């Protein structure tokens, strides 16, 4: 969103910079710029001057997609996953997960990194670690005592969330995070 806003501002600035020199050529004796080109009279032949921007635009910062080396999203992922009461042998414990390159102590490192990369570029990725909004109607399905806490950085964003299986919304969140979290289906 910030990138889109910054790019919109840059494009708007460029458009204003291109049209501003022509507007000064159209200014009358009063210094006011007419709202449209005159169709008759001495200024009817005057055309706006289109040329280079009067002031060079600075490069966009790297976080907006400008110059410089832009890290791959996976390279900025480092999570600590703590799973409790899952009922799956070897799934409970605290595991480190690093993506780009894949590493850590997570039992399904590559699958977890692949899942995070897959969902990162989609709209679902925006809500991947976010709990259901308060007031959301969730089915009263109990999925068990399992809980997990995920803390760290994902695609350069801070993550600190707890996922349970206490209702349908939480079960859906858990299942969306498999294989970062163990598959309990």
């Amino acid at each position: 969103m910030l990138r889109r806003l910054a790019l919109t501002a840059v494009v708007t600035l460029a458009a204003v910079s291109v049209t501003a020199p022509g507007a000064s050529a159209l200014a009358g004796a009063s210094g006011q710029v007419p709202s449209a080109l005159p169709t008759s009279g001495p200024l009817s032949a005057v055309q706006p001057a289109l040329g280079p921007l009067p002031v060079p635009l600075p490069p966009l910062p790297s976080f907006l997609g400008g110059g410089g080396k832009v890290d791959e999203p996976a390279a900025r992922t480092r999570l600590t996953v703590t799973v409790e009461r899952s009922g799956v042998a070897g799934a409970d414990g605290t595991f480190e997960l690093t993506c780009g390159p894949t590493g850590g102590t997570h039992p399904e490192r590559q699958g977890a990194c692949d899942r995070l990369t897959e969902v990162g570029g989609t709209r679902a990725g925006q809500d991947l670690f976010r709990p259901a909004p308060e007031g959301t109607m969730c089915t009263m399905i109990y999925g068990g005592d399992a809980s997990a806490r995920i803390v760290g950085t994902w695609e350069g964003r801070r993550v600190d969330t707890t996922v349970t299986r206490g209702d349908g919304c939480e079960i859906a969140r858990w299942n969306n995070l498999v294989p970062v979290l163990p598959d309990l289906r």
Side-chain angles (χ1 to χ4, degrees), residues 20-168:
S24 63
L26 295 174
S30 65
Q32 294 181 344
V33 177
S35 60
L37 291 175
T39 56
S40 63
L43 294 177
S44 63
V46 176
Q47 295 296 319
L50 297 178
L53 295 176
V55 177
L57 295 174
L60 290 175
S62 62
F63 68 88
L64 294 176
K69 182 183 177 212
V70 178
D71 295 337
E72 290 294 319
R76 298 179 285 160
T77 298
R78 182 182 195 94
L79 300 172
T80 301
V81 181
T82 303
V83 180
E84 298 175 340
R85 300 179 306 277
S86 71
V88 176
D92 290 356
T94 300
F95 308 100
E96 298 293 324
L97 176 63
T98 306
C99 301
T102 302
T105 59
H106 193 281
E108 294 187 48
R109 293 180 287 278
Q110 189 61 53
C113 287
D114 291 346
R115 175 66 179 146
L116 292 172
T117 301
E118 171 192 341
V119 78
T122 66
R123 179 160 172 78
Q126 297 173 0
D127 299 325
L128 185 62
F129 294 104
R130 197 173 300 155
E134 197 165 320
T136 301
M137 294 182 66
C138 299
T139 58
M140 296 305 294
I141 299 172
Y142 183 67
D145 291 332
S147 69
R149 180 154 187 226
I150 304 171
V151 179
T153 306
W154 174 61
E155 294 188 344
R157 295 177 282 201
R158 294 286 309 146
V159 172
D160 187 352
T161 191
T162 301
V163 184
T164 65
R165 295 182 61 83
D167 61 33

